[in-house]
Amino acid sequence: MSGGRDEMLATFQQVTGWNDVEVCHLCLNAHAWDLDDAVGAALSFPGEAEAAVTFRMAQNAGAGNEREARAAPQEANDAFHEHPPRRGWFHRATGYPFLRVVSLGLLSGERERYDLGGEAQRFADSFALEQPVHPIPQTVKFSEALSTARRQFKFLVVYLHSPHHQDTPQFLRDTLCTPAMKEFIDDHFLFWMGSILNPEAYTVSVRVRACGFPYLAVMTTAVEDGSPYPTVCDANEGLAPPEAMMQWLTQILENQGPELVAQRADQEQRDMDRRIREEQEEAFREGLLQDQRREQQREEEERRAREEREREERERSQRE
């Protein structure tokens, strides 16, 4: 490690109070040794133990890809017209299943005390102060936003916010936070966003292999062998003109939307079949209950008739 990095590491430890040199090094490396970014990310964690799990997980599952991405020329992320958004990146996130990664990194054990839903709400509130016009976000945990999108048979648009990236202000001003984009996303998608300086959004960025910013992805939940798993339908990294972004999202709806329509139709058919079965079962139970009532009524009438005959026989015997 160079002398400059030694000084940065010492400063980082002094500011954060972290003692684990390896975790400090991982955090700095994850933020390309930008001390301000690394400190901001570190201070957003509940504690060093939480950060250790997340950064070691990132090192095991995706750090290699992240280092390669950070070493790539910046122009590859910025020039939208020269490098259009990647198409058809439709695969399971590597490592162990995506939702389990997020869960293990941030929710297990003592980490449950950290309110990820609160993190999403706090970021949404601060974001709204700077960008009053923006798509309506799901202010819940990322996994819950995915589950909601799955239940509603909608795609989930995921925006990973890099507050210090040079292109972020222009992307927000000209593309994401415009009335037209807000209306389009609100009408056709669900929307979730998070700052990579916060633990959950940073973990998400590692799992989806976000290589450049601003980062916008369209996600859905696929099913394989009966098990659901999150997938990235497509992702855009870098600046994008609003017209191109709108066209990109429209193409996703047109190309992959029919699958969601088919899933919705299948679910509606299953729901209808279930309702029919429930109605049939209810009709059967009602018929059985009516039969039981009729049987009880018949037995009651027979009992009364028998008692009446016995009474008449007793009276006749007494008269004789």
Side-chain angles (χ1 to χ4, degrees):
M1 187 183 298
S2 64
R5 289 193 171 184
D6 284 335
E7 295 177 2
M8 291 178 64
L9 180 61
T11 302
F12 180 87
Q13 288 185 288
Q14 182 178 3
V15 174
T16 62
W18 289 7
N19 298 315
D20 191 323
V21 175
E22 179 187 1
V23 175
C24 295
H25 187 276
L26 288 174
C27 183
L28 284 162
N29 191 58
H31 291 273
W33 288 87
D34 185 312
L35 185 58
D36 290 339
D37 282 0
V39 168
L43 295 179
S44 68
F45 281 91
E48 185 175 2
E50 287 80 359
V53 173
T54 298
F55 285 115
R56 287 194 173 110
M57 185 181 302
Q59 181 188 43
N60 294 334
N65 296 306
E66 189 174 31
R67 286 194 297 271
E68 294 174 6
R70 295 188 182 279
Q74 185 63 42
E75 292 78 13
N77 297 325
D78 297 342
F80 176 84
H81 62 282
E82 295 179 4
H83 302 274
R86 294 171 293 163
R87 306 284 181 191
W89 185 30
F90 195 80
H91 65 279
R92 190 183 319 195
T94 56
Y96 24 88
F98 191 105
L99 292 180
R100 186 181 174 199
V101 169
V102 176
S103 172
L104 288 177
L106 296 171
L107 295 180
S108 60
E110 63 179 8
R111 288 175 292 281
E112 291 180 356
R113 70 176 184 269
Y114 188 63
D115 181 9
L116 293 179
E119 174 186 304
Q121 183 65 64
R122 287 190 297 272
F123 174 69
D125 292 342
S126 63
F127 189 86
L129 294 177
E130 299 181 3
Q131 303 292 336
V133 177
H134 61 276
I136 300 174
Q138 299 288 305
T139 54
V140 295
K141 293 182 291 186
F142 177 71
S143 59
E144 293 177 4
L146 272 173
S147 297
T148 301
R150 184 188 179 200
R151 288 193 303 271
Q152 297 184 14
F153 299 98
K154 287 188 174 183
F155 292 110
L156 180 68
V157 173
V158 176
Y159 170 60
L160 297 179
H161 182 67
S162 179
H164 301 305
H165 195 281
Q166 61 184 8
D167 293 330
T168 295
Q170 181 180 347
F171 179 77
L172 296 179
R173 181 184 65 247
D174 297 341
T175 302
L176 183 63
C177 298
T178 60
M181 187 63 68
K182 166 184 167 51
E183 181 179 1
F184 184 75
I185 292 179
D186 288 346
D187 287 346
H188 301 287
F189 300 87
L190 293 184
F191 181 69
W192 186 89
M193 62 180 179
S195 171
I196 61 172
L197 299 185
N198 295 332
E200 184 179 33
Y202 174 79
T203 304
V204 172
S205 73
V206 172
R207 302 314 309 148
V208 299
R209 297 183 176 184
C211 298
F213 297 92
Y215 181 90
L216 198 72
V218 178
M219 298 190 66
T220 189
T221 302
V223 178
E224 183 178 285
D225 298 328
S227 300
Y229 62 90
T231 63
V232 177
C233 300
D234 211 347
N236 176 80
E237 297 174 343
L239 288 175
E243 300 81 5
M245 180 64 71
M246 194 82 73
Q247 182 181 6
W248 174 65
L249 291 173
T250 301
Q251 287 180 345
I252 293 176
L253 286 174
E254 293 176 349
N255 296 336
Q256 303 188 37
E259 176 63 25
L260 290 184
V261 173
Q263 292 178 15
R264 180 189 293 272
D266 290 342
Q267 184 62 48
E268 290 176 348
Q269 183 62 49
R270 288 193 294 270
D271 291 342
M272 181 179 296
D273 293 342
R274 187 187 68 255
R275 287 194 298 271
I276 291 174
R277 287 195 303 270
E278 291 175 350
E279 291 172 357
Q280 291 174 339
E281 292 172 355
E282 179 63 25
F284 175 78
R285 287 193 295 269
E286 181 63 26
L288 182 60
L289 182 60
Q290 291 179 0
D291 290 342
Q292 291 173 344
R293 288 172 179 170
R294 284 193 293 268
E295 180 64 21
Q296 290 174 355
Q297 184 177 0
R298 184 185 62 80
E299 292 177 351
E300 179 65 19
E301 291 174 352
E302 290 179 351
R303 182 186 64 79
R304 290 177 179 176
R306 185 174 58 253
E307 290 178 350
E308 180 64 21
R309 288 195 302 271
E310 292 175 350
R311 184 185 64 79
E312 292 176 351
E313 289 177 358
R314 284 195 301 271
E315 292 178 351
R316 189 167 52 251
S317 298
Q318 290 175 357
R319 287 195 299 269
E320 293 177 352

